[in-house]
Amino acid sequence: MNETIARELETWPPRIESAVARCGQHIHNYTIISSVSSTQDTARQLNAPPGTAIIAGQQTAGRGRFGRSWSGEPGQGTYVTIILQWNDAPRLAIACAVAVTDTLRSLAQNKTEFGIKWPNDVLARPSTNQPWKKISGVLVEQFNSRAVIGIGINVHQQSWPDELADRAISLHQLGIETERIAVIESLLLSLNTALSLDDKQLVKRFVELDMMTGCHCSFTSGGEKYTGQIIAIDPQRGLSVLLDGEQSPRWFDADRTTLHDLPFSRPS
Ligand code: BTN
């Protein structure tokens, strides 16, 4: 780890301590580690109890959904894992996506549009005539009857490898300059709030932020490729899609399904 990041990390403990103290209900412990392979692995190695946040300065082998890798360039993004009592994974995943969106909106002071690509990618676009790109991803895993929820947010990245250039964006690229610790503080507080929403409130928030209902999309589910129009999204049941050539919609669950397309505009 370089000296700049080491100095940056020295400022984190009191700020995270204070954010966690304000969270109270869902997050009450934290561990800060300068460099890890993946905060998801650290959570397992520490066998951390529910309510613990694992926060890393950098990740050398961050992972995403479906075995994809998650870029962990030193000092560029935020890498947080929260351990929660495992009760309802789809609900937890959606609460996390809502929390990330709230965090980004508040950091952007509502000057940038953010939305959710089901189940839990958070998208942003720099202006109305530009395409949406991914700024954050959430990974939900299970360990010892606990939910291990990993959240990555792109903060300072100035460029991307070719394969991500059309799909990924950072706060810096949106013109939002902020410290990583400010993103983490806000995330912990937003998570605590979103996890406290009841089912009705959570669905209402998700529907406001959902970018995909109404879109015609290609997607993979259980290894099969499909195309069709998304009719509805339900946090429990998943995606209801009217497949091309079919007469009635089918449900596809979040565990096995990944949408390929990014929306160009929010469907009406
Ligand atoms: C995805 O979009 O596929 C999910 C990405 C999740 C990335 C975060 S970063 C913190 C935590 N540690 C990991 O290895 N992955 C998650």
Side-chain angles (χ1 to χ4, degrees), residues 63-81:
R63 59 176 180 269
R65 295 178 73 220
F66 303 110
R68 297 180 198 124
S69 63
W70 182 260
S71 150
E73 262 192 83
Q76 302 297 294
T78 60
Y79 317 106
V80 175
T81 289

Side-chain angles (χ1 to χ4, degrees), residues 16-229:
I16 290 175
E17 172 88 39
S18 148
V20 167
R22 279 182 285 155
C23 285
Q25 195 180 356
H26 297 283
I27 304 166
H28 27 260
N29 296 312
Y30 68 92
T31 299
I32 304 171
I33 304 185
S34 50
S35 179
V36 295
S37 56
S38 156
T39 50
Q40 299 291 100
D41 295 336
T42 309
R44 288 163 191 253
Q45 286 150 10
L46 297 176
N47 199 10
T52 306
I54 313 281
I55 299 157
Q58 74 182 63
Q59 283 192 141
T60 53
R63 59 176 180 269
R65 295 178 73 220
F66 303 110
R68 297 180 198 124
S69 63
W70 182 260
S71 150
E73 262 192 83
Q76 302 297 294
T78 60
Y79 317 106
V80 175
T81 289
I82 312 282
I83 296 93
L84 295 167
Q85 206 60 55
W86 178 273
N87 39 25
D88 181 347
R91 190 180 188 289
L92 289 178
I94 283 181
C96 290
V98 167
V100 171
T101 313
D102 286 344
T103 290
L104 296 173
R105 279 182 164 179
S106 84
L107 292 165
Q109 298 174 332
N110 290 324
K111 289 188 194 121
T112 305
E113 279 184 277
F114 296 96
I116 299 174
K117 173 176 172 250
W118 177 87
N120 42 37
D121 286 351
V122 179
L123 309 180
R125 63 174 168 179
S127 62
T128 42
N129 56 0
Q130 292 192 35
W132 292 86
K133 294 184 178 182
K134 177 164 166 172
I135 189 160
S136 170
V138 179
L139 173 67
V140 181
E141 297 178 330
Q142 186 179 6
F143 177 67
N144 275 356
S145 318
R146 290 166 194 166
V148 180
I149 302 184
I151 302 172
I153 301 179
N154 304 329
V155 182
H156 296 308
Q157 288 91 340
Q158 304 195 3
S159 61
W160 296 98
D162 287 350
E163 65 279 12
L164 292 178
D166 290 342
R167 303 181 69 85
I169 198 161
S170 66
L171 284 169
H172 166 79
Q173 290 172 316
L174 291 166
I176 301 159
E177 301 301 347
T178 185
E179 295 174 291
R180 293 194 296 162
I181 183 62
V183 179
I184 296 167
E185 284 173 320
S186 173
L187 176 65
L188 294 174
L189 293 164
S190 300
L191 272 170
N192 195 62
T193 305
L195 290 166
S196 305
L197 296 176
D198 65 28
D199 284 350
K200 204 169 152 205
Q201 292 166 323
L202 185 60
V203 169
K204 183 166 176 281
R205 290 298 326 281
F206 178 76
V207 167
E208 275 165 28
L209 298 169
D210 166 33
M211 301 294 308
M212 302 311 294
T213 301
C215 282
H216 188 273
C217 284
S218 60
F219 63 99
T220 302
S221 186
E224 298 287 321
K225 288 194 170 157
Y226 300 92
T227 54
Q229 185 171 25

